Amino acid sequence: MDSYSKLQQLHDSMVKMTKTIESLENDILDTLKENTELKVENQLLREKMDKMTSANTHNSAIKTQSGLESLRQIYNSGYHICNMYYGSHRDPSSDCMFCLDILDNFGEKKKVH
C-alpha cells in the first residue's frame, strides 16, 4: 500500500470518528435536555403532591370536627355516645362522665408511654 492510500484510509477513518463523536454529542445533549425536563416535571409533581397532602390533612381536620359536632348533637338530643351505654336514652338533666370524656378528647391521639 502506498503512502497516499494510507493517508486516504486514515482520513476516511477520521471522518468516521468525527461523525461518531458528533452523533454521541447530539445523544448526550438530548439526554441532558430530557433530564432537565424530567427534573422540572418531578419538582412540579412534588409540589402538587405536597398541596394534595396538606389538603387531605385539612380535610381530615374538617371531618374530625364534623364528627365531633355529630356526636355532640346526639348527646345533646338525649342519647349516650359512650361505649358503655351507646344509643340508650339518657336523662338530659344529668351528664354522663363517659360521654363527656369522649367529647372532651375526640380526635386527640393519646400518647402511649
Side-chain angles (χ1 to χ4, degrees):
M1 192 184 278
D2 65 11
S3 294
Y4 182 77
S5 296
K6 287 181 181 179
L7 184 60
Q8 188 62 39
Q9 189 178 21
L10 183 61
H11 176 69
D12 291 344
S13 196
M14 288 195 54
V15 167
K16 245 180 154 176
M17 286 177 68
T18 303
K19 286 181 181 179
T20 302
I21 289 172
E22 288 173 353
S23 175
L24 285 171
E25 284 178 338
N26 288 333
D27 289 349
I28 288 173
L29 288 174
D30 287 344
T31 302
L32 290 173
K33 180 181 174 188
E34 183 181 13
N35 187 35
T36 302
E37 290 172 354
L38 289 171
K39 282 181 181 180
V40 170
E41 183 179 2
N42 193 16
Q43 182 60 34
L44 292 173
L45 289 172
R46 284 178 197 264
E47 289 171 7
K48 191 171 187 175
M49 279 181 56
D50 289 344
K51 285 180 186 176
M52 289 173 67
T53 301
S54 67
N56 285 343
T57 302
H58 179 68
N59 287 343
S60 177
I62 290 171
K63 285 179 185 175
T64 299
Q65 286 183 344
S66 78
L68 176 61
E69 283 306 308
S70 296
L71 286 176
R72 196 176 303 279
Q73 286 176 358
I74 293 169
Y75 181 77
N76 289 336
S77 64
Y79 293 93
H80 284 276
I81 58 169
C82 64
N83 61 347
M84 294 183 71
Y85 305 110
Y86 183 81
S88 62
H89 202 62
R90 71 172 184 84
D91 182 5
S93 64
S94 64
D95 288 323
C96 171
M97 67 178 187
F98 303 114
C99 292
L100 291 177
D101 185 54
I102 290 171
L103 291 174
D104 288 341
N105 297 308
F106 185 82
E108 294 180 13
K109 294 186 177 176
K110 303 264 184 185
K111 292 182 180 176
V112 179
H113 296 278

